[in-house]
Amino acid sequence: MRFIHFARRALLTTVAATTLVAAGSAPALAVSAVPDKAPLFNGSVYAIAYRGSTVYVGGSFTSVAWGGRNYPRARLAAFDARSGAMLAWSPTANSTVRALAISGSAVYAGGDFTKVSGSSRDNLARIDAASGAVGSFSHRVSGVPYALAAGNGRLYAGGSFTAVDGSTRRNAAAFSLSSGALDGGWRPSADDSVHALAVTSARVYLGGAFHKVNGVSRTLRIAAVGPSGGAVDRGFLPTAPAQVNGLATDSAGVYAATGGQGGRAIAYGSGGGMRWQRVFDGDAVAIASLGGTIYVGGHFDRACTTVHNGAHGACSDGSVARVKLAAISSGGALTGWAPQANGIIGVRTLAVDRNRGALGAGGDFTTIGGQNRKRYASFD
Protein backbone atom coordinates (compact mmCIF):
# COMPACT_ATOMS: atom_id res chain seq x y z
CA MET A 1 0.00 0.00 0.00
CA ARG A 2 0.97 3.60 -0.44
CA PHE A 3 0.28 6.14 2.26
CA ILE A 4 0.16 9.84 1.47
CA HIS A 5 0.52 12.65 4.01
CA PHE A 6 -0.67 16.09 2.95
CA ALA A 7 -2.61 19.11 4.24
CA ARG A 8 -6.34 19.15 3.62
CA ARG A 9 -7.55 22.73 3.87
CA ALA A 10 -10.65 21.92 1.87
CA LEU A 11 -11.68 19.51 4.63
CA LEU A 12 -12.13 22.25 7.23
CA THR A 13 -15.57 23.31 6.06
CA THR A 14 -16.67 19.69 6.07
CA VAL A 15 -15.45 18.84 9.55
CA ALA A 16 -16.85 22.06 10.99
CA ALA A 17 -20.33 20.81 10.16
CA THR A 18 -19.69 17.27 11.35
CA THR A 19 -20.45 16.11 14.86
CA LEU A 20 -17.94 13.76 16.45
CA VAL A 21 -19.39 11.55 19.15
CA ALA A 22 -17.27 11.94 22.27
CA ALA A 23 -15.68 8.96 23.93
CA GLY A 24 -17.83 7.64 26.73
CA SER A 25 -19.58 4.53 27.92
CA ALA A 26 -19.41 1.85 25.27
CA PRO A 27 -21.55 -1.18 24.47
CA ALA A 28 -20.31 -4.71 25.11
CA LEU A 29 -17.28 -5.43 23.00
CA ALA A 30 -17.63 -7.90 20.15
CA VAL A 31 -14.15 -9.35 20.68
CA SER A 32 -11.62 -9.59 23.49
CA ALA A 33 -8.65 -7.21 23.63
CA VAL A 34 -6.42 -10.19 24.49
CA PRO A 35 -5.14 -11.94 21.36
CA ASP A 36 -5.35 -15.70 20.90
CA LYS A 37 -2.24 -17.80 20.40
CA ALA A 38 -1.30 -17.71 16.73
CA PRO A 39 1.51 -18.60 14.30
CA LEU A 40 4.44 -16.18 14.07
CA PHE A 41 5.41 -14.76 10.65
CA ASN A 42 8.91 -13.59 9.71
CA GLY A 43 7.64 -10.95 7.27
CA SER A 44 4.72 -8.62 6.72
CA VAL A 45 1.14 -9.89 6.51
CA TYR A 46 -0.88 -7.96 3.90
CA ALA A 47 -4.01 -10.10 3.53
CA ILE A 48 -6.21 -12.44 5.58
CA ALA A 49 -9.17 -14.53 4.38
CA TYR A 50 -11.38 -17.09 6.14
CA ARG A 51 -12.98 -20.26 4.82
CA GLY A 52 -14.73 -22.45 7.37
CA SER A 53 -12.20 -23.30 10.07
CA THR A 54 -9.20 -22.26 7.97
CA VAL A 55 -7.32 -18.96 7.93
CA TYR A 56 -5.45 -18.08 4.73
CA VAL A 57 -2.72 -15.46 4.92
CA GLY A 58 -0.70 -13.64 2.26
CA GLY A 59 2.24 -11.28 2.55
CA SER A 60 6.01 -11.00 2.17
CA PHE A 61 6.95 -13.70 4.74
CA THR A 62 9.01 -16.79 3.92
CA SER A 63 8.69 -18.71 7.18
CA VAL A 64 6.04 -19.32 9.86
CA ALA A 65 6.70 -20.55 13.39
CA TRP A 66 4.25 -22.64 15.39
CA GLY A 67 4.61 -25.12 18.23
CA GLY A 68 8.39 -24.82 18.38
CA ARG A 69 8.82 -25.55 14.68
CA ASN A 70 9.52 -23.35 11.65
CA TYR A 71 7.53 -24.01 8.50
CA PRO A 72 8.77 -22.76 5.11
CA ARG A 73 5.92 -20.74 3.60
CA ALA A 74 6.66 -18.49 0.64
CA ARG A 75 4.20 -15.62 1.03
CA LEU A 76 1.14 -17.88 1.35
CA ALA A 77 0.09 -19.95 4.34
CA ALA A 78 -2.93 -21.57 5.99
CA PHE A 79 -3.67 -22.67 9.55
CA ASP A 80 -6.52 -23.80 11.77
CA ALA A 81 -8.59 -20.85 12.98
CA ARG A 82 -9.25 -22.27 16.45
CA SER A 83 -5.98 -23.95 17.42
CA GLY A 84 -3.50 -22.01 15.28
CA ALA A 85 -1.96 -25.27 14.06
CA MET A 86 -0.30 -25.00 10.65
CA LEU A 87 -1.88 -26.84 7.73
CA ALA A 88 -0.08 -28.57 4.87
CA TRP A 89 -1.41 -25.99 2.37
CA SER A 90 1.75 -24.38 1.01
CA PRO A 91 1.67 -22.90 -2.50
CA THR A 92 4.65 -20.60 -3.12
CA ALA A 93 4.60 -17.09 -4.60
CA ASN A 94 7.86 -15.54 -5.80
CA SER A 95 6.98 -12.05 -4.53
CA THR A 96 4.55 -10.26 -2.22
CA VAL A 97 0.91 -11.34 -2.01
CA ARG A 98 -1.15 -8.19 -1.31
CA ALA A 99 -4.74 -9.41 -1.52
CA LEU A 100 -6.80 -12.57 -1.00
CA ALA A 101 -10.42 -13.51 -1.72
CA ILE A 102 -12.34 -16.74 -1.20
CA SER A 103 -15.05 -18.21 -3.41
CA GLY A 104 -16.20 -21.78 -2.90
CA SER A 105 -13.17 -24.06 -3.11
CA ALA A 106 -10.92 -21.37 -4.58
CA VAL A 107 -8.48 -18.95 -2.98
CA TYR A 108 -7.68 -15.98 -5.22
CA ALA A 109 -4.39 -14.17 -4.67
CA GLY A 110 -3.20 -10.85 -6.08
CA GLY A 111 0.10 -9.02 -5.73
CA ASP A 112 3.54 -8.48 -7.22
CA PHE A 113 4.35 -12.09 -8.09
CA THR A 114 5.08 -13.62 -11.50
CA LYS A 115 5.00 -17.27 -10.43
CA VAL A 116 2.98 -19.40 -8.02
CA SER A 117 4.34 -22.87 -7.25
CA GLY A 118 6.46 -22.66 -10.40
CA SER A 119 3.56 -21.77 -12.72
CA SER A 120 3.68 -18.41 -14.47
CA ARG A 121 0.97 -16.17 -13.04
CA ASP A 122 0.99 -12.45 -13.74
CA ASN A 123 0.09 -10.92 -10.35
CA LEU A 124 -3.18 -12.88 -10.10
CA ALA A 125 -3.82 -16.56 -9.38
CA ARG A 126 -6.49 -19.05 -8.34
CA ILE A 127 -5.40 -21.73 -5.89
CA ASP A 128 -7.32 -24.78 -4.67
CA ALA A 129 -8.34 -24.15 -1.06
CA ALA A 130 -7.69 -27.77 -0.01
CA SER A 131 -4.75 -29.01 -2.06
CA GLY A 132 -2.95 -25.76 -2.83
CA ALA A 133 -2.80 -26.65 -6.52
CA VAL A 134 -2.63 -23.70 -8.92
CA GLY A 135 -5.70 -23.52 -11.17
CA SER A 136 -5.88 -22.78 -14.88
CA PHE A 137 -7.11 -19.23 -14.18
CA SER A 138 -4.40 -17.09 -15.80
CA HIS A 139 -4.42 -13.48 -17.04
CA ARG A 140 -1.88 -10.86 -18.05
CA VAL A 141 -2.26 -7.93 -15.67
CA SER A 142 -0.37 -4.78 -16.67
CA GLY A 143 0.22 -3.59 -13.11
CA VAL A 144 -0.48 -4.70 -9.56
CA PRO A 145 -3.78 -5.68 -7.88
CA TYR A 146 -4.05 -4.27 -4.35
CA ALA A 147 -7.56 -5.48 -3.50
CA LEU A 148 -9.76 -8.48 -4.38
CA ALA A 149 -13.39 -9.25 -3.53
CA ALA A 150 -15.75 -12.02 -4.63
CA GLY A 151 -19.49 -11.60 -5.13
CA ASN A 152 -22.28 -11.45 -7.69
CA GLY A 153 -20.66 -14.29 -9.66
CA ARG A 154 -17.49 -12.27 -10.12
CA LEU A 155 -14.02 -11.75 -8.78
CA TYR A 156 -13.45 -7.99 -8.56
CA ALA A 157 -9.92 -6.59 -8.61
CA GLY A 158 -8.68 -3.11 -7.83
CA GLY A 159 -5.16 -1.78 -7.98
CA SER A 160 -2.70 0.12 -10.10
CA PHE A 161 -2.98 -1.37 -13.59
CA THR A 162 -3.81 -0.27 -17.11
CA ALA A 163 -4.89 -3.46 -18.91
CA VAL A 164 -5.82 -7.10 -18.51
CA ASP A 165 -5.01 -9.48 -21.36
CA GLY A 166 -4.33 -6.45 -23.53
CA SER A 167 -7.81 -5.00 -22.93
CA THR A 168 -7.86 -1.55 -21.30
CA ARG A 169 -8.79 -1.66 -17.62
CA ARG A 170 -8.04 1.46 -15.60
CA ASN A 171 -7.35 0.22 -12.08
CA ALA A 172 -10.47 -1.98 -11.83
CA ALA A 173 -11.49 -5.26 -13.46
CA ALA A 174 -13.75 -8.26 -12.93
CA PHE A 175 -13.62 -11.94 -13.83
CA SER A 176 -16.26 -14.66 -14.01
CA LEU A 177 -16.05 -16.96 -11.01
CA SER A 178 -17.44 -19.84 -13.07
CA SER A 179 -15.39 -19.59 -16.27
CA GLY A 180 -12.48 -17.45 -15.13
CA ALA A 181 -12.89 -15.18 -18.14
CA LEU A 182 -12.33 -11.44 -18.00
CA ASP A 183 -15.73 -9.75 -17.67
CA GLY A 184 -16.11 -7.61 -20.77
CA GLY A 185 -19.05 -5.68 -19.40
CA TRP A 186 -17.71 -4.56 -16.03
CA ARG A 187 -15.17 -1.86 -16.68
CA PRO A 188 -15.34 1.22 -14.46
CA SER A 189 -12.44 3.57 -15.14
CA ALA A 190 -10.61 5.14 -12.18
CA ASP A 191 -8.05 7.83 -12.97
CA ASP A 192 -5.67 6.66 -10.21
CA SER A 193 -5.10 3.58 -8.07
CA VAL A 194 -7.83 1.60 -6.29
CA HIS A 195 -6.70 0.35 -2.88
CA ALA A 196 -9.91 -1.06 -1.42
CA LEU A 197 -13.08 -2.87 -2.48
CA ALA A 198 -16.32 -3.79 -0.70
CA VAL A 199 -19.08 -5.75 -2.43
CA THR A 200 -22.83 -5.98 -1.85
CA SER A 201 -25.54 -7.40 -4.09
CA ALA A 202 -26.40 -3.91 -5.33
CA ARG A 203 -23.06 -2.11 -5.38
CA VAL A 204 -19.30 -2.45 -5.61
CA TYR A 205 -17.57 0.22 -3.53
CA LEU A 206 -14.16 1.47 -4.66
CA GLY A 207 -11.69 3.37 -2.50
CA GLY A 208 -8.25 4.70 -3.32
CA ALA A 209 -6.23 7.64 -4.62
CA PHE A 210 -8.40 8.41 -7.67
CA HIS A 211 -10.07 11.75 -8.37
CA LYS A 212 -12.86 10.50 -10.62
CA VAL A 213 -14.46 7.24 -11.71
CA ASN A 214 -15.86 7.18 -15.24
CA GLY A 215 -15.23 10.94 -15.35
CA VAL A 216 -18.05 11.56 -12.87
CA SER A 217 -17.65 14.45 -10.42
CA ARG A 218 -17.93 13.80 -6.66
CA THR A 219 -16.26 10.41 -6.92
CA LEU A 220 -13.15 11.69 -5.16
CA ARG A 221 -11.32 8.70 -3.62
CA ILE A 222 -14.55 6.78 -2.93
CA ALA A 223 -17.33 5.67 -5.27
CA ALA A 224 -20.04 3.07 -5.79
CA VAL A 225 -20.51 1.34 -9.13
CA GLY A 226 -22.94 -1.23 -10.46
CA PRO A 227 -22.06 -4.89 -9.83
CA SER A 228 -22.62 -5.95 -13.44
CA GLY A 229 -21.92 -2.95 -15.68
CA GLY A 230 -19.68 -0.78 -13.55
CA ALA A 231 -21.62 2.45 -14.06
CA VAL A 232 -21.26 4.99 -11.26
CA ASP A 233 -24.17 4.83 -8.82
CA ARG A 234 -25.14 8.50 -8.48
CA GLY A 235 -27.14 7.70 -5.37
CA PHE A 236 -23.83 7.48 -3.50
CA LEU A 237 -21.62 10.51 -4.13
CA PRO A 238 -19.60 11.39 -1.03
CA THR A 239 -16.00 12.57 -1.13
CA ALA A 240 -13.17 11.33 1.06
CA PRO A 241 -10.69 13.79 2.63
CA ALA A 242 -7.63 11.69 1.74
CA GLN A 243 -6.63 8.41 0.14
CA VAL A 244 -8.99 5.59 1.10
CA ASN A 245 -6.96 2.59 2.24
CA GLY A 246 -9.75 0.31 3.49
CA LEU A 247 -13.50 -0.21 3.11
CA ALA A 248 -16.16 -2.20 4.94
CA THR A 249 -19.94 -2.47 4.78
CA ASP A 250 -22.79 -3.57 7.02
CA SER A 251 -26.54 -2.99 7.15
CA ALA A 252 -26.01 0.58 8.39
CA GLY A 253 -23.80 1.73 5.54
CA VAL A 254 -20.19 2.02 4.40
CA TYR A 255 -16.99 2.63 6.38
CA ALA A 256 -13.73 4.07 5.06
CA ALA A 257 -10.24 4.13 6.55
CA THR A 258 -8.25 7.08 5.23
CA GLY A 259 -4.76 8.52 5.44
CA GLY A 260 -3.79 12.17 5.16
CA GLN A 261 -3.03 14.67 7.93
CA GLY A 262 -3.80 12.08 10.54
CA GLY A 263 -6.04 9.19 9.62
CA ARG A 264 -9.81 8.98 9.81
CA ALA A 265 -12.47 6.32 10.16
CA ILE A 266 -15.56 7.64 8.38
CA ALA A 267 -19.07 6.18 8.40
CA TYR A 268 -21.32 6.94 5.42
CA GLY A 269 -25.00 6.17 5.00
CA SER A 270 -26.20 4.30 1.92
CA GLY A 271 -26.99 7.67 0.32
CA GLY A 272 -23.43 8.91 0.82
CA GLY A 273 -24.06 11.26 3.75
CA MET A 274 -21.44 11.24 6.49
CA ARG A 275 -22.84 9.69 9.70
CA TRP A 276 -19.76 10.16 11.88
CA GLN A 277 -15.99 10.22 11.83
CA ARG A 278 -13.14 9.50 14.22
CA VAL A 279 -9.71 11.10 13.85
CA PHE A 280 -6.32 9.58 14.68
CA ASP A 281 -2.76 10.91 14.78
CA GLY A 282 -1.63 8.64 11.93
CA ASP A 283 -3.03 6.86 8.89
CA ALA A 284 -6.02 4.56 9.24
CA VAL A 285 -5.26 1.68 6.89
CA ALA A 286 -7.81 -1.06 7.53
CA ILE A 287 -11.41 -1.18 8.74
CA ALA A 288 -13.90 -3.95 9.53
CA SER A 289 -17.41 -4.31 10.95
CA LEU A 290 -18.38 -7.07 13.36
CA GLY A 291 -21.36 -7.31 15.70
CA GLY A 292 -22.18 -3.61 15.48
CA THR A 293 -18.62 -2.54 16.33
CA ILE A 294 -16.27 -0.94 13.79
CA TYR A 295 -12.61 -1.90 14.13
CA VAL A 296 -9.80 0.25 12.74
CA GLY A 297 -6.11 -0.51 12.26
CA GLY A 298 -3.21 1.56 11.00
CA HIS A 299 -0.13 3.59 11.87
CA PHE A 300 -1.69 5.72 14.62
CA ASP A 301 -0.81 5.85 18.32
CA ARG A 302 -3.62 8.06 19.61
CA ALA A 303 -7.30 8.72 18.90
CA CYS A 304 -8.33 12.37 18.95
CA THR A 305 -11.25 13.43 21.14
CA THR A 306 -12.45 15.90 18.45
CA VAL A 307 -12.10 16.14 14.68
CA HIS A 308 -9.34 18.72 14.99
CA ASN A 309 -5.69 17.91 14.44
CA GLY A 310 -2.61 19.86 13.43
CA ALA A 311 0.85 19.39 11.98
CA HIS A 312 1.74 15.77 11.25
CA GLY A 313 -1.74 14.76 12.40
CA ALA A 314 -1.21 15.53 16.08
CA CYS A 315 -4.52 15.83 17.95
CA SER A 316 -5.34 19.46 18.83
CA ASP A 317 -8.02 19.12 21.53
CA GLY A 318 -6.99 16.08 23.52
CA SER A 319 -6.50 12.40 22.78
CA VAL A 320 -6.43 8.92 24.25
CA ALA A 321 -3.96 6.10 23.58
CA ARG A 322 -4.99 3.72 20.82
CA VAL A 323 -1.82 2.14 19.50
CA LYS A 324 -2.40 0.82 15.96
CA LEU A 325 -5.85 -0.59 16.83
CA ALA A 326 -9.15 0.95 17.93
CA ALA A 327 -12.86 0.14 18.05
CA ILE A 328 -15.85 2.41 17.51
CA SER A 329 -19.50 1.87 18.39
CA SER A 330 -22.20 1.94 15.73
CA GLY A 331 -23.00 5.50 16.80
CA GLY A 332 -19.41 6.73 16.48
CA ALA A 333 -18.25 6.53 20.12
CA LEU A 334 -14.73 5.34 20.77
CA THR A 335 -14.90 2.16 22.86
CA GLY A 336 -12.44 0.97 25.50
CA TRP A 337 -10.99 -1.76 23.25
CA ALA A 338 -7.24 -1.04 23.08
CA PRO A 339 -4.98 -4.07 22.44
CA GLN A 340 -1.87 -1.93 21.59
CA ALA A 341 0.22 -3.27 18.73
CA ASN A 342 3.80 -2.09 18.35
CA GLY A 343 5.88 -0.89 15.40
CA ILE A 344 5.84 2.04 13.00
CA ILE A 345 3.72 0.55 10.21
CA GLY A 346 1.55 -1.35 12.67
CA VAL A 347 -1.59 -2.87 11.16
CA ARG A 348 -2.02 -3.35 7.40
CA THR A 349 -5.17 -5.45 7.21
CA LEU A 350 -8.24 -6.51 9.21
CA ALA A 351 -10.58 -9.38 8.41
CA VAL A 352 -13.70 -10.76 10.06
CA ASP A 353 -14.36 -14.43 10.77
CA ARG A 354 -18.14 -14.39 11.14
CA ASN A 355 -18.34 -18.12 11.91
CA ARG A 356 -16.42 -17.59 15.16
CA GLY A 357 -17.24 -13.94 15.73
CA ALA A 358 -13.53 -13.20 15.57
CA LEU A 359 -11.31 -10.46 14.17
CA GLY A 360 -7.97 -11.04 12.45
CA ALA A 361 -5.25 -8.39 12.18
CA GLY A 362 -2.12 -8.50 10.06
CA GLY A 363 0.77 -6.15 9.46
CA ASP A 364 4.28 -5.41 10.67
CA PHE A 365 3.76 -5.50 14.45
CA THR A 366 5.60 -8.05 16.57
CA THR A 367 3.74 -7.70 19.86
CA ILE A 368 0.14 -7.11 20.95
CA GLY A 369 -0.29 -5.93 24.52
CA GLY A 370 3.29 -7.01 25.18
CA GLN A 371 2.63 -10.57 23.99
CA ASN A 372 4.62 -12.18 21.17
CA ARG A 373 2.36 -11.89 18.10
CA LYS A 374 4.53 -11.51 15.04
CA ARG A 375 2.57 -9.87 12.24
CA TYR A 376 -0.71 -11.72 12.81
CA ALA A 377 -3.20 -11.68 15.68
CA SER A 378 -6.69 -13.03 16.23
CA PHE A 379 -9.24 -11.71 18.73
CA ASP A 380 -12.24 -13.84 19.73
Side-chain angles (χ1 to χ4, degrees), residues 1 49 56 130 133 160-161 168 200 237 290 296 303 331 335 346 369 379:
M1 285 189 178
Y56 297 90
S160 179
F161 51 84
T168 299
T200 70
L237 291 174
L290 177 65
V296 187
T335 78
F379 305 91

Side-chain angles (χ1 to χ4, degrees), residues 180-267:
L182 177 66
D183 189 324
W186 196 83
R187 48 194 312 164
S189 176
D191 63 5
D192 206 336
S193 53
V194 173
H195 289 260
L197 296 169
V199 176
T200 70
S201 60
R203 289 172 170 170
V204 178
Y205 294 95
L206 313 177
F210 52 83
H211 296 84
K212 290 183 179 180
V213 175
N214 296 348
V216 177
S217 297
R218 293 192 63 197
T219 53
L220 179 64
R221 306 184 187 101
I222 185 169
V225 300
S228 57
V232 170
D233 186 332
R234 294 174 185 268
F236 181 85
L237 291 174
T239 58
Q243 177 174 299
V244 172
N245 300 313
L247 289 171
T249 61
D250 62 17
S251 59
V254 186
Y255 306 90
T258 78
Q261 184 181 314
R264 293 172 189 259
I266 305 174

Side-chain angles (χ1 to χ4, degrees), residues 68 70 141 149 180 188 200 210 215 242 260 268 302 324-327 331 363-364 372:
N70 287 321
V141 182
T200 70
F210 52 83
Y268 298 100
R302 303 192 71 81
K324 319 304 180 191
L325 288 162
D364 286 28
N372 189 22

Side-chain angles (χ1 to χ4, degrees), residues 198-361:
V199 176
T200 70
S201 60
R203 289 172 170 170
V204 178
Y205 294 95
L206 313 177
F210 52 83
H211 296 84
K212 290 183 179 180
V213 175
N214 296 348
V216 177
S217 297
R218 293 192 63 197
T219 53
L220 179 64
R221 306 184 187 101
I222 185 169
V225 300
S228 57
V232 170
D233 186 332
R234 294 174 185 268
F236 181 85
L237 291 174
T239 58
Q243 177 174 299
V244 172
N245 300 313
L247 289 171
T249 61
D250 62 17
S251 59
V254 186
Y255 306 90
T258 78
Q261 184 181 314
R264 293 172 189 259
I266 305 174
Y268 298 100
S270 59
M274 184 184 292
R275 294 162 44 215
W276 51 256
Q277 63 175 317
R278 298 297 314 193
V279 179
F280 301 91
D281 68 348
D283 288 357
V285 179
I287 197 160
S289 172
L290 177 65
T293 299
I294 310 305
Y295 295 91
V296 187
H299 308 332
F300 51 83
D301 294 321
R302 303 192 71 81
C304 304
T305 54
T306 73
V307 297
H308 303 298
N309 58 10
H312 310 296
C315 301
S316 303
D317 302 323
S319 64
V320 293
R322 290 294 184 273
V323 187
K324 319 304 180 191
L325 288 162
I328 305 164
S329 74
S330 58
L334 191 68
T335 78
W337 190 77
Q340 297 201 2
N342 70 339
I344 297 173
I345 297 297
V347 174
R348 292 182 182 270
T349 185
L350 294 174
V352 169
D353 181 355
R354 299 196 186 281
N355 289 333
R356 294 189 305 128
L359 177 77

Side-chain angles (χ1 to χ4, degrees), residues 59-264:
S60 61
F61 54 85
T62 56
S63 177
V64 184
W66 174 255
R69 175 182 169 187
N70 287 321
Y71 295 79
R73 292 292 186 271
R75 304 168 188 92
L76 288 161
F79 53 93
D80 184 81
R82 295 188 181 277
S83 70
M86 293 297 297
L87 302 179
W89 194 84
S90 57
T92 60
N94 68 344
S95 193
T96 303
V97 172
R98 298 183 179 274
L100 294 173
I102 304 288
S103 178
S105 62
V107 178
Y108 292 90
D112 300 331
F113 51 82
T114 58
K115 288 188 176 182
V116 177
S117 298
S119 297
S120 294
R121 289 295 182 272
D122 192 4
N123 302 325
L124 193 60
R126 181 172 60 201
I127 304 163
D128 187 271
S131 69
V134 179
S136 59
F137 178 83
S138 179
H139 295 276
R140 291 179 292 112
V141 182
S142 300
V144 180
Y146 298 144
L148 298 175
N152 306 308
R154 296 170 177 83
L155 173 72
Y156 299 97
S160 179
F161 51 84
T162 57
V164 176
D165 299 333
S167 179
T168 299
R169 290 295 186 278
R170 296 191 66 190
N171 305 307
F175 307 86
S176 167
L177 288 173
S178 57
S179 70
L182 177 66
D183 189 324
W186 196 83
R187 48 194 312 164
S189 176
D191 63 5
D192 206 336
S193 53
V194 173
H195 289 260
L197 296 169
V199 176
T200 70
S201 60
R203 289 172 170 170
V204 178
Y205 294 95
L206 313 177
F210 52 83
H211 296 84
K212 290 183 179 180
V213 175
N214 296 348
V216 177
S217 297
R218 293 192 63 197
T219 53
L220 179 64
R221 306 184 187 101
I222 185 169
V225 300
S228 57
V232 170
D233 186 332
R234 294 174 185 268
F236 181 85
L237 291 174
T239 58
Q243 177 174 299
V244 172
N245 300 313
L247 289 171
T249 61
D250 62 17
S251 59
V254 186
Y255 306 90
T258 78
Q261 184 181 314
R264 293 172 189 259

